[in-house]
């Protein structure tokens, strides 16, 4: 999963991935990590990706112990 995040970020930075494709891939990645399909990522779910796990506390800007799709998107950008 870590590779997918890096690939998305790299392609977007290079301008090789349009905004719509990026949005769909970000949603797909988020949904793939969201094992219980509750619309947020717990620390355990985020733990499946080393980068998310290492940065969980910084990504969780509202400090609710969950990563929302919005927080996830902001981190990916």
């Amino acid at each position: 999963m870590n590779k997918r995040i890096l690939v998305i970020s790299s392609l977007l930075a290079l301008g090789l991935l349009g905004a719509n494709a990026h949005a769909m891939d970000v949603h797909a990645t988020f949904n793939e990590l969201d094992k219980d399909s509750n619309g947020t990522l717990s620390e355990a779910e985020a733990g499946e990706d080393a980068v998310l796990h290492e940065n969980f506390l910084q990504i969780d800007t509202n400090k609710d112990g969950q990563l929302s799709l919005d927080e996830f998107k902001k981190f990916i950008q």
Side-chain angles (χ1 to χ4, degrees):
M1 193 55 57
N2 182 9
K3 290 180 185 177
R4 178 183 274 193
I5 292 171
L6 291 175
V7 168
I8 292 169
S9 298
S10 297
L11 291 175
L12 187 63
L14 292 172
L16 299 175
L17 185 62
N20 288 339
H22 172 69
M24 289 187 316
D25 206 27
V26 169
H27 283 131
T29 301
F30 184 88
N31 290 336
E32 192 174 310
L33 289 167
D34 184 15
K35 301 295 184 198
D36 61 5
S37 300
N38 70 346
T40 62
L41 300 180
S42 66
E43 192 165 0
E45 290 169 324
E48 291 193 23
D49 179 273
V51 174
L52 288 178
H53 180 70
E54 290 173 17
N55 296 286
F56 188 87
L57 295 176
Q58 291 78 25
I59 302 167
D60 182 19
T61 56
N62 67 358
K63 306 301 180 204
D64 67 352
Q66 302 285 320
L67 300 183
S68 67
L69 178 57
D70 188 49
E71 289 169 324
F72 183 76
K73 285 180 187 178
K74 287 177 184 173
F75 174 70
I76 296 295
Q77 294 173 350

